[in-house]
């Protein structure tokens, strides 16, 4: 069928959107089981602390590999079965530590868990950008962030009960992945594998088009990398800042982070309206608010004020991410959305991976690697991102 030939328009069921959004239930590779580190250190007494912590972060490396091969798998199986395969890989390898207590086996299983995530995560975006018109797309991209935050909360809640039994049973939390597997299986039809929305109509995509990329996509991936890198200053440095400056305890800082989940849910739900209000300046405006929040944060000595500033930065991040994601439609070459999404996800993961080393290097370079100074400079870098965004919006004629 020709790429421009209209196909029969399906009456979109809300369950289709639910099935697609459910792919994003698991957006964090480590949160749910990070609490097992102290218990695993005792169990693996002959393994170094760094190697035990590696069990928590190794899925990120797996995500990078899975993201690279996602397009190849999708070409072989189609979108629907690629998502189911990726979710199934993450489920099976995710629960292996509950039954096998050998360190090398657990290390491999955790890496493969990440590979599964890397396979299905790009499709959680490309399904939305391919199938839905702009207004609906913006709404669902915002909801996607909310669904991820809700999924993380549910899994953290379940893991909190399971860890009281043993660290092994905590890994049974990944049985939760049965939920998106079943929702995709029953509510996301196979015929949507090669359907895209153009001018309000569903058309069948030409599968013979070879996926390509361009400078715009690479530029966007680099921006995602920088956003994740600078935003990491909060998660990496705030607790140390609070404790070192006798503002509060580590527990107080942890409670502040706990509110970020609610913030992510809220920002995702209202993203569509925010994007309508601010249009093409959405990203720029929320860069600036983030910058102000982080700069003021670095001088604050009050827990309540810190809470407000962290929530402001978290809310802004919940707007910036889907807004930048929506730009993928503008930059992505025709028939290459899955490949584009994979490139973006690689940029995001690299940003998070290099953050600790970047702050160490930059701190040594300027002669002050203190937590407050790193938060301050991250705020300054957000100002530079805002200036660059104004240039990009004008140059590339972006609508969001």
């Amino acid at each position: 069928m020709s790429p421009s030939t209209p196909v029969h328009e399906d009456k979109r069921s809300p369950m289709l959107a639910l099935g697609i959004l459910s792919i994003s239930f698991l957006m964090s590779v480590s949160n749910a089981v990070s609490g097992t580190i102290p218990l695993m250190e005792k169990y693996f007494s002959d393994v170094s602390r760094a190697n035990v912590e590696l069990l928590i972060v190794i899925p990120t490396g797996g995500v990078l590999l899975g993201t690279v091969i996602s397009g190849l798998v999708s070409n072989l199986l189609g979108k629907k079965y690629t998502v189911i395969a990726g979710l199934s890989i993450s489920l099976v390898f995710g629960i292996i530590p509950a039954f096998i207590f050998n360190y090398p086996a657990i290390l491999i299983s955790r890496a493969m868990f990440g590979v599964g995530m890397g396979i299905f995560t790009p499709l959680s975006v490309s399904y939305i950008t391919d199938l839905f018109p702009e207004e609906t797309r913006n709404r669902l991209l915002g909801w996607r962030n909310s669904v991820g935050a809700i999924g993380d909360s549910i899994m953290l809640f379940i893991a909190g009960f399971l860890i009281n039994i043993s660290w092994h049973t905590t890994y049974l939390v990944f049985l939760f992945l049965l939920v998106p597997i079943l929702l995709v299986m029953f509510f996301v039809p196979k015929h949507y594998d090669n359907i895209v929305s153009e001018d309000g109509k569903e058309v069948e995509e030409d599968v013979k088009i070879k996926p390509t990329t361009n400078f715009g996509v690479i530029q966007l991936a680099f921006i995602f990398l920088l956003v994740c890198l600078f935003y990491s200053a909060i998660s990496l440095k705030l607790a140390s800042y609070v404790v070192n400056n006798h503002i509060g305890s580590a527990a107080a800082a942890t409670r502040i982070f706990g509110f970020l989940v609610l913030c992510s849910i809220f920002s995702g739900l209202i993203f569509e309206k925010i994007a309508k209000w601010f249009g093409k300046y959405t990203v720029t405006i929320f860069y600036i608010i983030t910058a102000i929040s982080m700069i003021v944060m670095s001088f604050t000595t009050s827990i309540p004020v810190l809470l407000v500033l962290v929530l402001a930065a978290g809310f802004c991040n919940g707007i910036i991410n889907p807004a930048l994601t929506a730009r993928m439609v503008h930059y992505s070459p025709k028939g290459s959305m899955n490949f584009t999404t994979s490139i973006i996800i690689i940029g995001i993961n690299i940003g998070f991976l290099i953050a600790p080393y970047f702050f160490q290097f930059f701190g040594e370079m300027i002669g002050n690697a203190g937590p407050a100074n790193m938060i301050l400079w991250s705020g300054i870098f957000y100002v530079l991102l805002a200036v660059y965004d104004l240039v990009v919006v004008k140059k590339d004629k972006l609508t969001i």
Side-chain angles (χ1 to χ4, degrees):
M1 183 178 289
S2 167
S4 60
T5 303
V7 298
H8 174 68
E9 283 210 40
D10 186 45
K11 288 186 178 179
R12 296 287 174 79
S13 163
M15 298 309 292
L16 171 65
L18 177 62
I20 291 171
L21 288 171
S22 74
I23 305 171
S24 300
F25 275 170
L26 182 66
M27 290 183 71
S28 171
V29 297
S30 60
N31 280 354
V33 295
S34 58
T36 62
I37 291 177
L39 298 175
M40 287 195 296
E41 284 178 353
K42 291 181 180 179
Y43 187 86
F44 295 115
S45 57
D46 58 337
V47 177
S48 70
R49 177 185 177 88
N51 283 337
V52 172
E53 291 175 344
L54 181 63
L55 295 175
I56 302 300
V57 300
I58 192 65
T60 305
V63 168
L64 291 175
L65 175 60
T67 301
V68 170
I69 66 173
S70 177
L72 298 174
V73 178
S74 184
N75 288 340
L76 290 173
L77 303 180
K79 285 183 180 179
K80 176 172 180 171
Y81 293 140
T82 297
V83 169
I84 293 173
L87 287 166
S88 299
I89 290 170
S90 289
L91 188 156
V92 170
F93 285 98
I95 65 173
I96 279 179
F99 305 101
I100 299 176
F101 311 146
N102 174 271
Y103 178 85
I106 293 176
L107 182 66
I108 293 171
S109 72
R110 294 289 291 156
M112 288 302 299
F113 168 79
V115 170
M117 283 197 65
I119 289 173
F120 71 75
T121 301
L123 291 162
S124 70
V125 176
S126 61
Y127 256 128
I128 295 172
T129 54
D130 282 346
L131 288 181
F132 298 94
E134 183 176 3
E135 187 172 327
T136 307
R137 181 170 64 234
N138 289 343
R139 184 186 313 135
L140 293 180
L141 287 174
W143 287 1
R144 176 178 175 268
N145 273 23
S146 298
V147 166
I150 292 169
D152 282 351
S153 300
I154 292 172
M155 295 185 76
L156 281 166
F157 181 74
I158 297 171
F161 283 101
L162 293 176
I163 201 170
N164 290 323
I165 302 172
S166 72
W167 69 264
H168 310 292
T169 55
T170 307
Y171 287 84
L172 292 176
V173 72
F174 295 117
L175 286 171
F176 182 72
L177 288 173
L178 280 170
V179 174
I181 288 173
L182 293 174
L183 288 174
V184 171
M185 190 178 296
F186 290 112
F187 299 118
V188 181
K190 184 77 170 68
H191 79 263
Y192 281 121
D193 278 6
N194 299 311
I195 297 295
V196 295
S197 178
E198 292 183 2
D199 301 321
K201 294 182 179 180
E202 291 181 358
V203 300
E204 191 166 340
E205 189 176 46
D206 188 351
V207 296
K208 293 180 181 179
I209 296 177
K210 186 177 180 180
T212 58
T213 191
N214 54 38
F215 175 76
V217 171
I218 302 301
Q219 169 191 251
L220 187 59
F222 186 65
I223 292 299
F224 265 108
L225 185 156
L226 293 178
V227 168
C228 293
L229 174 62
F230 301 141
Y231 185 71
S232 292
I234 296 176
S235 59
L236 293 174
K237 302 298 180 181
L238 183 67
S240 297
Y241 171 61
V242 168
V243 174
N244 294 352
N245 291 276
H246 309 291
I247 299 169
S249 64
T254 303
R255 283 193 290 271
I256 291 176
F257 291 135
F259 284 101
L260 279 177
V261 175
L262 296 176
C263 203
S264 297
I265 294 171
F266 179 64
S267 60
L269 291 176
I270 69 168
F271 167 70
E272 180 193 7
K273 290 183 178 179
I274 294 288
K276 279 184 179 178
W277 290 339
F278 298 109
K280 61 184 179 181
Y281 298 114
T282 300
V283 174
T284 304
I285 290 169
F286 285 90
Y287 276 158
I288 292 171
I289 299 173
T290 304
I292 294 170
S293 300
M294 296 183 82
I295 290 170
V296 175
M297 198 184 299
S298 67
F299 295 101
T300 300
T301 56
S302 164
I303 287 292
V305 177
L306 273 177
L307 173 61
V308 172
L309 293 171
V310 170
L311 290 183
F315 178 83
C316 291
N317 191 61
I319 300 298
I320 290 168
N321 277 340
L324 289 176
T325 302
R327 291 182 178 181
M328 289 163 54
V329 178
H330 177 87
Y331 289 117
S332 183
K334 186 177 178 62
S336 302
M337 184 54 72
N338 193 38
F339 187 43
T340 296
T341 309
S342 297
I343 294 172
I344 299 299
I345 291 173
I346 289 172
I348 290 170
N349 279 279
I350 291 175
F352 284 127
L353 279 172
I354 68 172
Y357 308 103
F358 169 81
F359 290 123
Q360 180 181 342
F361 169 78
F362 185 74
E364 291 173 354
M365 188 176 72
I366 63 174
N368 184 353
N373 203 41
M374 292 301 96
I375 294 172
L376 170 64
W377 272 100
S378 294
I380 293 171
F381 285 131
Y382 264 100
V383 174
L384 298 179
L385 283 175
V387 173
Y388 180 73
D389 195 69
L390 286 173
V391 175
V392 170
V393 165
K394 184 176 181 180
K395 176 175 70 74
D396 295 342
K397 300 179 180 177
L398 299 172
T399 58
I400 188 172

